[in-house]
Amino acid sequence: MNVFKKLWLGVAASAVLFSAPASSQQGVGDVVYVPTPEIVVEEMLRMAKVGPNDYLIDLGSGDGRFVISAAAKGARAFGVDLDTYLLRVARKNAEAAKVSDRATFIEQNLFETDLSKASVVSTYLLPQMNLKLRPKILALKPGTRVVAHDYHMGAWYPDDQRDIVVPEKKVGTPGVSYVYLWYVPARVAGKWQSQVSAAGKTTPYELAFDQSFQILEGTLRSGADSAPIRGRLNGENISFITQPKGSPGGQRHEFKGKVNGDSIDGTVRIGEGTAAREAKWTAKIATRGELKKASDDIQE
Ligand SMILES: C[S@@+](CC[C@H](N)C(=O)[O-])C[C@H]1O[C@@H](n2cnc3c(N)ncnc32)[C@H](O)[C@@H]1O
């Protein structure tokens, strides 16, 4: 099944499953308590490569399973929930797992949680809650990982996804968990002044990036040459190509680099096959642009 179909099935399923008002022990707030199956938690943490250098925040932490499993991998982890009963259960579970020093839980509305220290954010929330959180998540440090169980982020398509067969799962799509991973993309929308240096010669290039989440389009210009850009961001890593037609020297360009705020450094492969050569490439921001809204996005 393609990703779009699954995403929309997720929306339909959520309307049925998560609309009941919550009481204590069922979760409190905007979505009822349904735990993520343990094997799904483990797979999501594996996809996000959670380890000792991480700081994970689980938004709506339930019985604490994401936070406790992340802490067991050496990460510091933090959960917020509004259900005081579940918060007590989570703290007890953390004690039992001997990770209380790295696993903390507080009573807080997840929409008010400061995410700035997170290297990983996990959610099992309704799609409209994910969408409400999306601008805050997109403003986090590039490369921050986001993992979500069953529900999507609208037109911010995942960088990775898995379907996990979970026969005992009764909610969402019974028997299957959909899990999604995103990397917060660096912001590169706008115009950049760039230089390509090879064999002692430096050539100025102008790059104009249109950015829709991690997807890049735009135009490369150098002198009278002009070619469309196609590319993507993976956190702070940028890659894009131009085809020979319109490119400088009529040669395909394949750029790779690292975005560091207002500058980019990397390498560019010019030409194809054995005739291709590699050059160094740098860029500085000239004018910042806005993220483009994808035409197929849904209401936030
Ligand atoms: C579907 S459960 C997920 C629990 C856990 N993250 C897991 O995957 O096993 C959602 C949790 O979010 C909590 N919750 C709902 N709305 C919230 C809000 N606005 N702020 C904080 N927690 C909230 C509920 O109490 C519930 O425990």
Side-chain angles (χ1 to χ4, degrees):
M1 194 189 303
N2 72 33
V3 63
F4 304 101
K5 198 161 176 203
K6 276 195 301 199
L7 295 177
W8 287 105
L9 275 176
V11 174
S14 70
V16 176
L17 291 162
F18 285 94
S19 56
S23 65
S24 171
Q25 301 180 44
Q26 289 184 308
V28 170
D30 302 278
V31 53
V32 295
Y33 174 58
V34 180
T36 297
E38 292 286 3
I39 59 158
V40 177
V41 173
E42 282 307 313
E43 180 61 13
M44 289 168 72
L45 297 182
R46 204 185 63 71
M47 282 168 78
K49 298 192 175 73
V50 172
N53 294 328
D54 281 313
Y55 185 74
L56 175 138
I57 299 181
D58 188 36
L59 295 173
S61 48
D63 69 358
R65 53 187 63 203
F66 272 98
V67 171
I68 293 165
S69 295
K73 294 180 192 320
R76 282 180 303 138
F78 169 61
V80 300
D81 209 293
L82 288 174
D83 188 313
T84 50
Y85 171 80
L86 286 171
L87 285 163
R88 269 202 308 280
V89 170
R91 288 187 192 111
K92 280 206 170 118
N93 289 344
E95 267 169 42
K98 301 195 178 357
V99 294
S100 301
D101 56 332
R102 293 192 302 283
T104 48
F105 298 92
I106 64 162
E107 184 178 344
Q108 188 178 64
N109 187 329
L110 61 89
F111 293 111
E112 285 158 21
T113 301
D114 174 7
L115 301 178
S116 60
K117 289 206 185 87
S119 60
V120 182
V121 177
S122 55
T123 72
Y124 184 19
L125 302 172
L126 293 168
Q128 58 268 34
M129 295 174 78
N130 286 349
L131 284 179
K132 195 169 162 190
L133 288 165
R134 194 174 73 179
K136 203 166 155 184
I137 289 174
L138 282 165
L140 295 176
K141 192 169 166 288
T144 303
R145 289 93 83 204
V146 184
V147 275
H149 180 198
D150 269 356
Y151 302 113
H152 62 86
M153 291 266 180
W156 183 16
Y157 295 116
D159 293 297
D160 194 7
Q161 66 180 97
R162 304 250 199 287
D163 300 352
I164 305 169
V165 175
V166 190
E168 68 277 16
K169 184 170 177 265
K170 302 281 184 287
V171 296
T173 307
V176 186
S177 279
Y178 304 125
V179 296
Y180 304 104
L181 168 75
W182 296 261
Y183 296 99
V184 170
R187 295 260 176 153
V188 298
K191 294 195 170 134
W192 296 71
Q193 296 294 346
S194 174
Q195 297 196 314
V196 172
S197 308
K201 189 173 164 234
T202 297
T203 312
Y205 284 47
E206 275 175 36
L207 303 168
F209 291 125
D210 290 329
Q211 179 177 2
S212 178
F213 306 104
Q214 69 274 61
I215 304 300
L216 288 180
E217 293 182 333
T219 311
L220 175 154
R221 286 197 180 81
S222 183
D225 297 316
S226 168
I229 285 170
R230 296 275 177 273
R232 64 183 293 130
L233 288 147
N234 186 319
E236 59 195 1
N237 297 310
I238 185 169
S239 55
F240 57 95
I241 58 164
T242 63
Q243 296 301 344
K245 188 165 180 268
S247 288
Q251 290 183 300
R252 182 180 191 271
H253 283 51
E254 184 177 344
F255 290 79
K256 289 189 175 142
K258 195 155 254 190
V259 183
N260 187 3
D262 288 350
S263 63
I264 310 177
D265 288 289
T267 54
V268 49
R269 190 176 154 82
I270 303 172
E272 289 168 88
T274 49
R277 64 199 163 89
E278 198 147 282
K280 286 213 178 305
W281 159 66
T282 61
K284 293 252 174 273
I285 188 79
T287 319
R288 283 252 172 236
E290 292 296 315
L291 281 193
K292 221 172 96 183
K293 263 229 171 269
S295 56
D296 57 346
D297 207 357
I298 56 174
Q299 288 295 309
E300 284 175 27

